[in-house]
Amino acid sequence: MKINFLFVLNILCILIAQDRSIIFNAPPGMLEEGFEISYQENGSNSVADRFYLSNDYILEGVSLWLYPDEATTISVEVYEDSLGLPGTSIYETSLAMFASESYQEYYISTVADCIDLSGGQYYWLSLKVSTEGTSVSWQYSMLNNYYTT
């Protein structure tokens, strides 16, 4: 009886266990500079980073290395791929930041939003400054594919 209980308990643990993985990682590189994302009178530029998923996932969070030179707000979006360019937006949020003297890691939890990402596809992570007259540097890895506007 005790062996049956342990067997059932092990099966339940396997069925209930959560499998987590980092699906895309662009840690800060060795370079001190990053992509300069700014909002001036004539408009804002944005930077998008393309990544590929081989399996289905639910987006749990986004972690970014950013350097705001003054207090600002940025828009963080995830797009579907459209022939090698950012296509339809599937997630968008704002991130308010205080001025910093160096790159800091910012984490945005997306668990409550249940964003399904299908495998076998490319996606884009995009950043855009929302506060006029401010800029943010996004530190990047040289191994990735970026798109700027």
Side-chain angles (χ1 to χ4, degrees), residues 108-120:
I108 302 165
S109 177
T110 60
V111 173
D113 299 309
C114 292
I115 304 157
D116 290 322
L117 301 174
S118 300

Side-chain angles (χ1 to χ4, degrees), residues 33 37 39 50-51 60 63 80 84 93 114 121 131-132 134 140:
E33 68 270 1
I37 308 165
Y39 191 120
R50 185 178 185 207
F51 60 98
E60 184 178 298
S63 178
E80 293 178 339
T93 191
C114 292
Q121 297 185 55
T131 309
E132 188 172 340
T134 61
Y140 57 89

Side-chain angles (χ1 to χ4, degrees), residues 48 61 149:
T149 60

Side-chain angles (χ1 to χ4, degrees), residues 3-138:
I3 293 174
N4 288 341
F5 174 75
L6 291 175
F7 177 74
V8 170
L9 183 63
N10 282 333
I11 295 298
L12 286 174
C13 287
I14 291 170
L15 293 175
I16 295 173
Q18 294 183 4
D19 190 20
R20 297 172 188 250
S21 178
I22 295 174
I23 58 173
F24 170 74
N25 188 20
M30 299 300 289
L31 305 173
E32 284 298 315
E33 68 270 1
F35 284 113
E36 188 74 23
I37 308 165
S38 62
Y39 191 120
Q40 304 304 328
E41 288 180 19
N42 58 350
S44 178
N45 71 323
S46 64
V47 176
D49 193 355
R50 185 178 185 207
F51 60 98
Y52 180 78
L53 296 180
S54 55
N55 298 313
D56 294 348
Y57 287 95
I58 293 177
L59 186 63
E60 184 178 298
V62 176
S63 178
L64 303 164
W65 285 89
L66 303 170
Y67 174 27
D69 56 357
E70 57 190 287
T72 188
T73 302
I74 63 168
S75 171
V76 178
E77 288 189 73
V78 177
Y79 291 93
E80 293 178 339
D81 185 68
S82 177
L83 302 172
L85 297 173
T88 305
S89 177
I90 56 176
Y91 174 75
E92 181 177 6
T93 191
S94 294
L95 176 64
M97 298 180 295
F98 296 105
S100 174
E101 295 183 12
S102 64
Y103 283 95
Q104 303 290 324
E105 183 176 19
Y106 293 86
Y107 181 77
I108 302 165
S109 177
T110 60
V111 173
D113 299 309
C114 292
I115 304 157
D116 290 322
L117 301 174
S118 300
Q121 297 185 55
Y122 284 97
Y123 293 92
W124 292 87
L125 175 62
S126 173
L127 275 65
K128 185 175 187 176
V129 175
S130 306
T131 309
E132 188 172 340
T134 61
S135 65
V136 172
S137 292
W138 180 14

